[in-house]
Amino acid sequence: MAEYEKKVRQILREYDCHFVRHGKGDHDVWYSPITNRNFTVDSEIKIRHVANGIMMIFS
C-alpha cells in the first residue's frame, strides 16, 4: 500500500503552508496562506483519495 504523507507534506510546503501544532489523535494542524485557515492532515495517509481531499482543502 502506498504512503502519501511525505509527498503531501512536500507539496504543502511548496505552497507555503506550514505546520502549526499536533492535533487530536494522529492528526496535525497546518496553516494555508492561500485560504488563510488552519486544516488537519492525518499523519498516516495511505489512501490516494484522502491525499487528494487534503489538496482540495488548502487550495
Side-chain angles (χ1 to χ4, degrees), residues 47-59:
I47 302 171
R48 177 177 45 98
H49 300 292
V50 173
N52 290 340
I54 293 169
M55 296 296 111
M56 295 298 298
I57 290 171
F58 88 92
S59 60

Side-chain angles (χ1 to χ4, degrees), residues 15-50:
Y15 285 91
D16 295 327
C17 295
H18 62 272
F19 173 82
V20 176
R21 63 180 170 83
H22 294 289
K24 292 184 178 182
D26 62 349
H27 289 78
D28 294 330
V29 178
W30 284 67
Y31 172 77
S32 170
I34 296 169
T35 62
N36 198 30
R37 297 179 68 179
N38 290 339
F39 60 97
T40 58
V41 176
D42 193 343
S43 63
E44 293 186 13
I45 304 167
K46 297 182 180 184
I47 302 171
R48 177 177 45 98
H49 300 292
V50 173

